Amino acid sequence: GQQVMQIPQYQHVQEGEDFTTYCNSSTTLSNIQWYKQRPGGHPVFLIQLVKSGEVKKQKRLTFQFGEAKKNSSLHITATQTTDVGTYFCAEDSSYKLIFGSGTRLLVRP
Amino acid sequence: GAVVSQHPSRVICKSGTSVKIECRSLDFQATTMFWYRQFPKQSLMLMATSNEGSKATYEQGVEKDKFLINHASLTLSTLTVTSAHPEDSSFYICSAASGVYEQFFGPGTRLTVL
């Protein structure tokens, strides 16, 4: 079946360091969405990317969609303790979301 | 963003009992609602997709007779875990969509089966 792999599984950074999570698919993605889930919470929508090579920014967060639409990345500049959580990519396939495995981010103050 | 509620937030039950979880879209009409299950430190796995007034579509490997879904109105969907067993213990999350791409997630229901 369709799978969206995410790496790393887990990352522990010092506050102020940058963080990147990568999402990879063996098939071409129609689009990619990114979600953040705080510990004990539910996923919150961050952004959707649709176009090949698309780059979008939200303050310290930069989202990229690969030229071949098979990979995507989320980069956080100068992490803060409020960035703690698990970041999931997800493909919206016929209105169904297929979630990646997630990257858990911990930030040391 | 739109608000989706879930009830109860937490439930503990004995093995063999049935548990009903409600998912409500509070400020919009949801044409489609989704049910996910998330085990500790794992990703969300889609269980089923439900459209108002029609039968739910279940993902492969999800028993439709065990996880009963009813989507009676554009603002309410229910998931009933029938004859729950300890292996059904999980975090159940619903989401609602109004036709555009964004899904709005409920706060989740943590089910513990003793």
Side-chain angles (χ1 to χ4, degrees):
Chain A
Q2 197 171 20
Q3 281 192 323
V4 181
M5 306 302 294
Q6 236 179 302
I7 55 171
Q9 183 179 3
Y10 173 88
Q11 189 151 12
H12 201 174
V13 301
Q14 185 71 42
E15 186 173 23
E17 292 181 338
D18 293 354
F19 160 78
T20 304
T21 172
Y22 301 90
C23 191
N24 298 292
S25 172
S26 57
T27 59
T28 302
L29 301 167
S30 55
N31 61 70
I32 197 85
Q33 296 184 16
W34 284 92
Y35 290 80
K36 176 183 178 181
Q37 184 177 25
R38 293 182 183 274
H42 61 278
V44 174
F45 175 83
L46 295 176
I47 210 159
Q48 172 167 281
L49 304 172
V50 178
K51 298 177 183 176
S52 168
E54 190 170 14
V55 178
K56 288 188 178 180
K57 291 190 176 184
Q58 289 179 352
K59 297 182 180 178
R60 294 179 295 104
L61 277 60
T62 302
F63 304 85
Q64 291 190 329
F65 202 7
E67 293 288 343
K69 299 182 72 173
K70 288 186 175 182
N71 56 75
S72 179
S73 65
L74 159 58
H75 179 82
I76 302 178
T77 304
T79 54
Q80 299 175 359
T81 54
T82 53
D83 295 326
V84 164
T86 301
Y87 293 84
F88 292 99
C89 62
E91 182 190 13
D92 182 355
S93 176
S94 301
Y95 294 107
K96 296 194 305 184
L97 284 179
I98 309 299
F99 279 84
S101 46
T103 296
R104 187 178 173 201
L105 171 65
L106 290 178
V107 180
R108 290 189 297 269
Chain B
V3 179
V4 175
S5 70
Q6 255 183 267
H7 178 80
S9 58
R10 184 180 295 267
V11 58
I12 301 173
C13 69
K14 292 182 179 180
S15 185
T17 61
S18 294
V19 175
K20 180 185 280 190
I21 303 170
E22 290 187 350
C23 177
R24 294 181 184 271
S25 56
L26 298 185
D27 52 1
F28 70 103
Q29 293 186 325
T31 52
T32 306
M33 287 186 170
F34 304 86
W35 287 96
Y36 297 84
R37 180 166 53 182
Q38 185 178 34
F39 292 106
K41 298 185 179 180
Q42 293 190 21
S43 187
L44 284 82
M45 298 300 296
L46 179 65
M47 298 175 68
T49 303
S50 77
N51 292 294
E52 184 263 340
S54 61
K55 289 183 179 180
T57 302
Y58 289 82
E59 295 299 302
Q60 193 171 11
V62 178
E63 299 175 57
K64 62 180 181 180
D65 294 330
K66 180 170 181 63
F67 299 99
L68 302 178
I69 292 172
N70 184 278
H71 193 159
S73 75
L74 286 171
T75 59
L76 173 65
S77 177
T78 60
L79 167 69
T80 301
V81 183
T82 62
S83 187
H85 290 284
E87 57 266 29
D88 298 322
S89 299
S90 187
F91 192 46
Y92 291 87
I93 309 176
C94 71
S95 71
S98 61
V100 294
Y101 59 80
E102 186 174 346
Q103 290 187 22
F104 301 97
F105 285 82
T109 297
R110 191 162 301 282
L111 170 64
T112 303
V113 185
L114 303 176

